[in-house]
Tab-separated table of all heavy atoms in Angstrom:
chain	number	residue	atom	x	y	z
S	1	GLY	N	-8.135	-238.116	87.720
S	1	GLY	CA	-8.258	-239.507	87.324
S	1	GLY	C	-7.395	-239.799	86.125
S	1	GLY	O	-6.848	-238.896	85.493
S	2	PRO	N	-7.292	-241.058	85.796
S	2	PRO	CA	-6.422	-241.450	84.683
S	2	PRO	C	-7.024	-241.133	83.316
S	2	PRO	O	-8.238	-241.140	83.145
S	2	PRO	CB	-6.280	-242.957	84.873
S	2	PRO	CG	-7.530	-243.366	85.573
S	2	PRO	CD	-7.903	-242.204	86.461
S	3	ILE	N	-6.136	-240.851	82.380
S	3	ILE	CA	-6.485	-240.677	80.974
S	3	ILE	C	-5.568	-241.603	80.196
S	3	ILE	O	-4.361	-241.604	80.394
S	3	ILE	CB	-6.268	-239.227	80.501
S	3	ILE	CG1	-7.166	-238.273	81.258
S	3	ILE	CG2	-6.506	-239.118	79.005
S	3	ILE	CD1	-6.899	-236.827	80.930
S	4	SER	N	-6.153	-242.409	79.333
S	4	SER	CA	-5.377	-243.326	78.507
S	4	SER	C	-5.581	-242.941	77.052
S	4	SER	O	-6.723	-242.876	76.591
S	4	SER	CB	-5.845	-244.757	78.767
S	4	SER	OG	-5.246	-245.637	77.863
S	5	CYS	N	-4.500	-242.664	76.333
S	5	CYS	CA	-4.597	-242.230	74.941
S	5	CYS	C	-3.668	-243.042	74.053
S	5	CYS	O	-2.629	-243.523	74.493
S	5	CYS	CB	-4.218	-240.762	74.803
S	5	CYS	SG	-5.299	-239.615	75.648
S	6	LYS	N	-4.068	-243.148	72.786
S	6	LYS	CA	-3.255	-243.812	71.783
S	6	LYS	C	-3.351	-243.007	70.494
S	6	LYS	O	-4.430	-242.560	70.119
S	6	LYS	CB	-3.756	-245.237	71.557
S	6	LYS	CG	-2.950	-246.011	70.553
S	6	LYS	CD	-3.467	-247.419	70.382
S	6	LYS	CE	-2.604	-248.169	69.388
S	6	LYS	NZ	-3.011	-249.557	69.259
S	7	MET	N	-2.209	-242.807	69.822
S	7	MET	CA	-2.180	-242.122	68.533
S	7	MET	C	-1.405	-242.961	67.546
S	7	MET	O	-0.464	-243.653	67.918
S	7	MET	CB	-1.483	-240.759	68.641
S	7	MET	CG	-2.305	-239.680	69.263
S	7	MET	SD	-1.457	-238.083	69.222
S	7	MET	CE	-1.790	-237.567	67.548
S	8	SER	N	-1.811	-242.885	66.286
S	8	SER	CA	-1.041	-243.527	65.231
S	8	SER	C	-0.910	-242.551	64.069
S	8	SER	O	-1.777	-241.710	63.846
S	8	SER	CB	-1.696	-244.838	64.790
S	8	SER	OG	-2.974	-244.607	64.274
S	9	PHE	N	0.205	-242.672	63.355
S	9	PHE	CA	0.527	-241.798	62.237
S	9	PHE	C	0.780	-242.642	60.998
S	9	PHE	O	1.322	-243.739	61.090
S	9	PHE	CB	1.783	-240.971	62.549
S	9	PHE	CG	1.590	-240.004	63.667
S	9	PHE	CD1	1.831	-240.382	64.976
S	9	PHE	CD2	1.171	-238.719	63.412
S	9	PHE	CE1	1.662	-239.495	66.017
S	9	PHE	CE2	0.996	-237.819	64.443
S	9	PHE	CZ	1.237	-238.203	65.747
S	10	ARG	N	0.362	-242.091	59.841
S	10	ARG	CA	0.556	-242.797	58.584
S	10	ARG	C	0.852	-241.776	57.488
S	10	ARG	O	0.057	-240.866	57.252
S	10	ARG	CB	-0.706	-243.582	58.243
S	10	ARG	CG	-0.610	-244.420	56.980
S	10	ARG	CD	-1.874	-245.258	56.754
S	10	ARG	NE	-3.123	-244.551	56.945
S	10	ARG	CZ	-3.740	-243.805	56.029
S	10	ARG	NH1	-3.213	-243.662	54.836
S	10	ARG	NH2	-4.886	-243.209	56.291
S	11	PRO	N	2.000	-241.890	56.815
S	11	PRO	CA	2.297	-240.973	55.713
S	11	PRO	C	1.296	-241.166	54.575
S	11	PRO	O	0.884	-242.287	54.286
S	11	PRO	CB	3.699	-241.368	55.255
S	11	PRO	CG	4.223	-242.331	56.251
S	11	PRO	CD	3.074	-242.862	57.025
S	12	ASN	N	0.918	-240.055	53.943
S	12	ASN	CA	-0.019	-240.100	52.826
S	12	ASN	C	0.358	-238.961	51.871
S	12	ASN	O	-0.113	-237.840	52.028
S	12	ASN	CB	-1.454	-239.961	53.320
S	12	ASN	CG	-2.463	-240.082	52.190
S	12	ASN	OD1	-2.125	-240.482	51.076
S	12	ASN	ND2	-3.696	-239.732	52.478
S	13	GLY	N	1.220	-239.261	50.911
S	13	GLY	CA	1.685	-238.220	49.981
S	13	GLY	C	2.488	-237.163	50.711
S	13	GLY	O	3.440	-237.472	51.414
S	14	ASN	N	2.067	-235.900	50.615
S	14	ASN	CA	2.798	-234.804	51.250
S	14	ASN	C	2.290	-234.482	52.658
S	14	ASN	O	2.641	-233.456	53.220
S	14	ASN	CB	2.740	-233.546	50.383
S	14	ASN	CG	1.343	-232.962	50.327
S	14	ASN	OD1	0.352	-233.641	50.580
S	14	ASN	ND2	1.264	-231.694	49.983
S	15	GLN	N	1.462	-235.345	53.211
S	15	GLN	CA	0.942	-235.092	54.545
S	15	GLN	C	1.099	-236.312	55.439
S	15	GLN	O	1.371	-237.410	54.971
S	15	GLN	CB	-0.527	-234.675	54.484
S	15	GLN	CG	-1.460	-235.747	53.939
S	15	GLN	CD	-2.864	-235.220	53.736
S	15	GLN	OE1	-3.073	-234.033	53.510
S	15	GLN	NE2	-3.838	-236.102	53.815
S	16	LEU	N	0.925	-236.092	56.731
S	16	LEU	CA	1.011	-237.146	57.722
S	16	LEU	C	-0.352	-237.253	58.402
S	16	LEU	O	-0.776	-236.325	59.105
S	16	LEU	CB	2.103	-236.811	58.748
S	16	LEU	CG	2.377	-237.833	59.822
S	16	LEU	CD1	2.911	-239.130	59.206
S	16	LEU	CD2	3.396	-237.277	60.817
S	17	ASN	N	-1.067	-238.343	58.117
S	17	ASN	CA	-2.383	-238.541	58.728
S	17	ASN	C	-2.218	-239.072	60.144
S	17	ASN	O	-1.320	-239.865	60.413
S	17	ASN	CB	-3.216	-239.527	57.914
S	17	ASN	CG	-3.589	-238.984	56.558
S	17	ASN	OD1	-3.526	-237.786	56.309
S	17	ASN	ND2	-3.970	-239.868	55.660
S	18	TYR	N	-3.092	-238.644	61.042
S	18	TYR	CA	-3.066	-239.161	62.405
S	18	TYR	C	-4.475	-239.512	62.866
S	18	TYR	O	-5.459	-238.929	62.412
S	18	TYR	CB	-2.425	-238.160	63.382
S	18	TYR	CG	-3.213	-236.889	63.567
S	18	TYR	CD1	-4.206	-236.785	64.547
S	18	TYR	CD2	-2.971	-235.776	62.777
S	18	TYR	CE1	-4.934	-235.615	64.718
S	18	TYR	CE2	-3.689	-234.610	62.942
S	18	TYR	CZ	-4.663	-234.541	63.918
S	18	TYR	OH	-5.382	-233.387	64.076
S	19	THR	N	-4.562	-240.510	63.704
S	19	THR	CA	-5.809	-240.876	64.381
S	19	THR	C	-5.459	-241.110	65.841
S	19	THR	O	-4.367	-241.575	66.166
S	19	THR	CB	-6.452	-242.149	63.796
S	19	THR	OG1	-5.514	-243.224	63.880
S	19	THR	CG2	-6.879	-241.963	62.360
S	20	GLY	N	-6.377	-240.763	66.694
S	20	GLY	CA	-6.141	-240.941	68.115
S	20	GLY	C	-7.429	-241.210	68.863
S	20	GLY	O	-8.521	-240.948	68.366
S	21	ARG	N	-7.265	-241.754	70.039
S	21	ARG	CA	-8.412	-242.036	70.898
S	21	ARG	C	-7.948	-241.930	72.337
S	21	ARG	O	-6.913	-242.473	72.713
S	21	ARG	CB	-8.966	-243.425	70.626
S	21	ARG	CG	-10.198	-243.738	71.438
S	21	ARG	CD	-11.057	-244.771	70.699
S	21	ARG	NE	-12.319	-244.960	71.355
S	21	ARG	CZ	-13.390	-244.202	71.169
S	21	ARG	NH1	-13.345	-243.190	70.334
S	21	ARG	NH2	-14.511	-244.456	71.793
S	22	CYS	N	-8.715	-241.213	73.135
S	22	CYS	CA	-8.444	-241.091	74.563
S	22	CYS	C	-9.645	-241.614	75.342
S	22	CYS	O	-10.790	-241.338	74.987
S	22	CYS	CB	-8.192	-239.637	74.958
S	22	CYS	SG	-6.666	-238.951	74.305
S	23	ASN	N	-9.365	-242.379	76.369
S	23	ASN	CA	-10.393	-242.849	77.282
S	23	ASN	C	-10.236	-242.094	78.589
S	23	ASN	O	-9.186	-242.145	79.224
S	23	ASN	CB	-10.281	-244.356	77.513
S	23	ASN	CG	-10.657	-245.122	76.270
S	23	ASN	OD1	-11.708	-244.902	75.697
S	23	ASN	ND2	-9.777	-245.998	75.829
S	24	VAL	N	-11.281	-241.375	78.945
S	24	VAL	CA	-11.278	-240.547	80.137
S	24	VAL	C	-12.243	-241.158	81.151
S	24	VAL	O	-13.382	-241.474	80.801
S	24	VAL	CB	-11.697	-239.099	79.800
S	24	VAL	CG1	-11.665	-238.220	81.029
S	24	VAL	CG2	-10.824	-238.537	78.693
S	25	GLN	N	-11.761	-241.294	82.366
S	25	GLN	CA	-12.589	-241.869	83.425
S	25	GLN	C	-13.912	-241.111	83.509
S	25	GLN	O	-13.943	-239.886	83.502
S	25	GLN	CB	-11.839	-241.776	84.749
S	25	GLN	CG	-12.543	-242.434	85.896
S	25	GLN	CD	-11.671	-242.403	87.150
S	25	GLN	OE1	-10.459	-242.465	87.076
S	25	GLN	NE2	-12.311	-242.297	88.286
């Protein structure tokens, strides 16, 4: 079945923060 995912990245000092969400049937 389909999987729909989204990720976003945001620089924060010396690191790269990420958040994501996947919707699984």
Side-chain angles (χ1 to χ4, degrees):
I3 297 174
S4 172
C5 296
K6 181 179 181 176
M7 283 185 81
S8 61
F9 294 89
R10 183 176 45 85
N12 183 12
N14 68 339
Q15 64 187 27
L16 183 64
N17 293 342
Y18 66 89
T19 57
R21 183 153 188 85
C22 292
N23 291 308
V24 181
Q25 185 175 327

